[in-house]
Amino acid sequence: MEPSQAERLTELQEKLGQARTDRNKSLDLSKVDRPDPVQLRIKSRRCLGVKGPTKLVHVDWSADRQRVAVCCKDGFVVCWNAFTGAPVNHATFKMSTPWALCCAFSANGQDIAAAGRDNTCKIFSLSSGTSHVVAQHSDFISSCLFAGSQQELLTGSGDTLCGLWDIEGAKLITSFQGHTAEVMSLSMAPLPIMSSVFLSASHDCSVRVWDTRTHKMVQCFGGLPSGAICVSIAGSGDTFAVGCEESSVHLCDLRADAELARLDDKSMLFPCNSLSFSFSNRMLFGACNDFSVNVWDTLRCERIGQLFGHDDRVSCVRTCPDSSCIATTSYDGNIRIWA
C-alpha cells in the first residue's frame, strides 16, 4: 500500500532535520574571527508595582515608547506610563477569566488585545473604555498580536491552531493548521515588508513560518530537542530565537533554513518563558524561572550576563521599540524597566 501524504511529509521532515544536523556538525567555527565582546551595563531604573498580591504574566510596549500594557493572573489588564511610573487613567480592564495569558498593543496605541484561559480574545479601547470579543478558540489562547493591518488580529491556541481574525466583524478570516500540539507563542517582525509573515512555536518541537497572504505554511523548523515555549524574531526579519522546555535556546536563520547556534549554558537550570531581541539584534534577552533575565551575545553565541532584581519567576521580557530600555514582568507583582 502506498504511503499517505502525511506519512511522506513526515518522512521528508525527518530527512531534512537529519541533513541539518549533519551539516551543523561539519561546520568548523574555530576558524571564524570572533567579534569583540559586549559590555553589559544594564541596570534596573524603575520598578512599578501592582496593588495586591497578584502575579504579572505578560507585558507589551506601545508604539509611542511611553506606555506598557500588563496582564495579571487575576484577570486584570493594566496600562502604565513606563517613565512617570503611574497607571494611565481609566485604563484598567477586567477579563472574564481569572488567568490572563497574553496582551498586545495596537500600532496606534488606542487598543489593547488580551486573552487567556477563557478561550476568547478581547479588544479593550483606551479611548472609550469599552471591550468586545474578537476571537474564540476551543482551548486556551496563549498568544495574540495585531497583524500588519489595524483591522486584523493573530491568535495562537492550545487547540493547535493559529487564527487570523477580522476585528471589526469579529470573524475568523483563516485558520492555520499544521501543528500537532499546543501553540505556545507567536512572533512577527516589525518590518513593513514582512508584515504578512509570522512565526508560531509549539509543544510539537517545531517552529513554523506562515504567510497571511497565501494562508499557508512556508517553512518548518522541526527537530527541536523538546517542546517550544517561546519564539522571537529579530528586527531584521532574518533570524529568530526559540526557547525549549529543556532549558535550551536555539538561534535559527530563515534564509539558510537552518539552526545557527545553541545558546544554552551549563548553569541554566530553567527554561526561558519569553525572549526578545535588542534593536541591533546583537543582544538577546530571556526571562527565566530563576528570578533572572539572561542576556546573550548573538554574534559570539555566548551568555554575557544576567539581570537580577525580581523576587519571583520572570514571566515576560519585551524590548522598547527604540531599544532604549526593556520591560520585564514577574510573579512578584512588579514591572521593572531596565536601561
Side-chain angles (χ1 to χ4, degrees):
M1 186 175 70
E2 294 185 0
S4 64
Q5 184 177 0
E7 292 174 344
R8 290 197 298 269
L9 179 60
T10 302
E11 182 181 357
L12 289 174
Q13 290 176 345
E14 292 176 352
K15 290 182 179 179
L16 180 59
Q18 185 61 42
R20 287 174 179 165
T21 302
D22 295 341
R23 182 175 61 178
N24 292 338
K25 289 181 179 178
S26 65
L27 294 176
D28 187 4
L29 299 179
S30 62
K31 298 180 180 179
V32 179
D33 294 334
R34 305 185 74 188
D36 295 333
V38 175
Q39 298 296 325
L40 187 63
R41 299 174 180 173
I42 301 175
K43 296 181 180 180
S44 177
R45 305 296 180 179
R46 189 176 295 278
C47 180
L48 314 177
V50 177
K51 294 181 180 180
T54 186
K55 298 178 180 179
L56 305 186
V57 181
H58 199 272
V59 63
D60 192 37
W61 284 92
S62 62
D64 61 10
R65 307 180 297 277
Q66 297 291 321
R67 298 166 296 162
V68 290
V70 180
C71 61
C72 312
K73 178 186 175 182
D74 56 10
F76 283 95
V77 179
V78 186
C79 183
W80 290 76
N81 187 307
F83 295 95
T84 64
V88 178
N89 292 335
H90 310 295
T92 300
F93 305 97
K94 183 70 170 68
M95 298 184 64
S96 58
T97 175
W99 192 303
L101 295 178
C102 58
C103 61
F105 253 114
S106 62
N108 59 14
Q110 298 301 312
D111 299 311
I112 298 175
R117 292 196 174 275
D118 63 349
N119 306 347
T120 64
C121 182
K122 289 184 176 180
I123 299 291
F124 299 94
S125 174
L126 295 178
S127 56
S128 64
T130 60
S131 66
H132 66 282
V133 176
V134 173
Q136 185 162 5
H137 285 265
S138 60
D139 207 336
F140 66 89
I141 298 178
S142 59
S143 185
C144 65
L145 50 88
F146 286 87
S149 169
Q150 288 294 312
Q151 302 302 319
E152 295 176 347
L153 184 78
L154 283 166
T155 57
S157 172
D159 59 10
T160 75
L161 302 177
C162 299
L164 179 65
W165 304 81
D166 175 65
I167 295 177
E168 185 176 356
K171 295 181 179 180
L172 179 66
I173 298 175
T174 186
S175 180
F176 301 91
Q177 304 180 23
H179 285 296
T180 57
E182 300 92 339
V183 177
M184 300 305 297
S185 179
L186 301 178
S187 183
M188 176 177 284
L191 295 177
I193 194 174
M194 293 192 66
S195 61
S196 63
V197 177
F198 73 95
L199 280 67
S200 61
S202 170
H203 272 168
D204 63 5
C205 307
S206 73
V207 173
R208 296 173 186 260
V209 185
W210 311 87
D211 194 324
T212 58
R213 296 168 300 184
T214 62
H215 303 167
K216 295 181 180 179
M217 181 184 70
V218 294
Q219 276 180 283
C220 178
F221 291 81
L224 295 174
S226 60
I229 299 176
C230 54
V231 65
S232 177
I233 189 169
S236 62
D238 299 325
T239 309
F240 72 89
V242 54
C244 297
E245 289 179 320
E246 45 85 51
S247 307
S248 66
V249 177
H250 304 262
L251 194 64
C252 304
D253 191 277
L254 293 173
R255 297 165 299 179
D257 193 33
E259 179 181 319
L260 299 179
R262 180 166 172 160
L263 304 179
D264 56 338
D265 190 275
K266 292 182 179 179
S267 61
M268 284 184 59
L269 302 178
F270 300 96
C272 286
N273 302 310
S274 174
L275 294 168
S276 183
F277 281 92
S278 65
F279 184 77
S280 66
N281 305 330
R282 180 69 189 269
M283 290 190 291
L284 176 67
F285 304 96
C288 295
N289 288 352
D290 60 358
F291 309 173
S292 72
V293 178
N294 286 285
V295 187
W296 290 275
D297 185 334
T298 58
L299 291 183
R300 294 174 63 89
C301 298
E302 63 185 18
R303 189 171 68 173
I304 58 177
Q306 291 176 280
L307 305 179
F308 292 98
H310 286 292
D311 298 325
D312 207 332
R313 166 183 176 175
V314 185
S315 55
C316 187
V317 57
R318 284 293 180 268
T319 307
C320 184
D322 63 358
S323 198
S324 60
C325 55
I326 63 172
T328 58
T329 53
S330 170
Y331 278 20
D332 63 7
N334 293 323
I335 312 159
R336 287 193 177 269
I337 308 298
W338 310 76

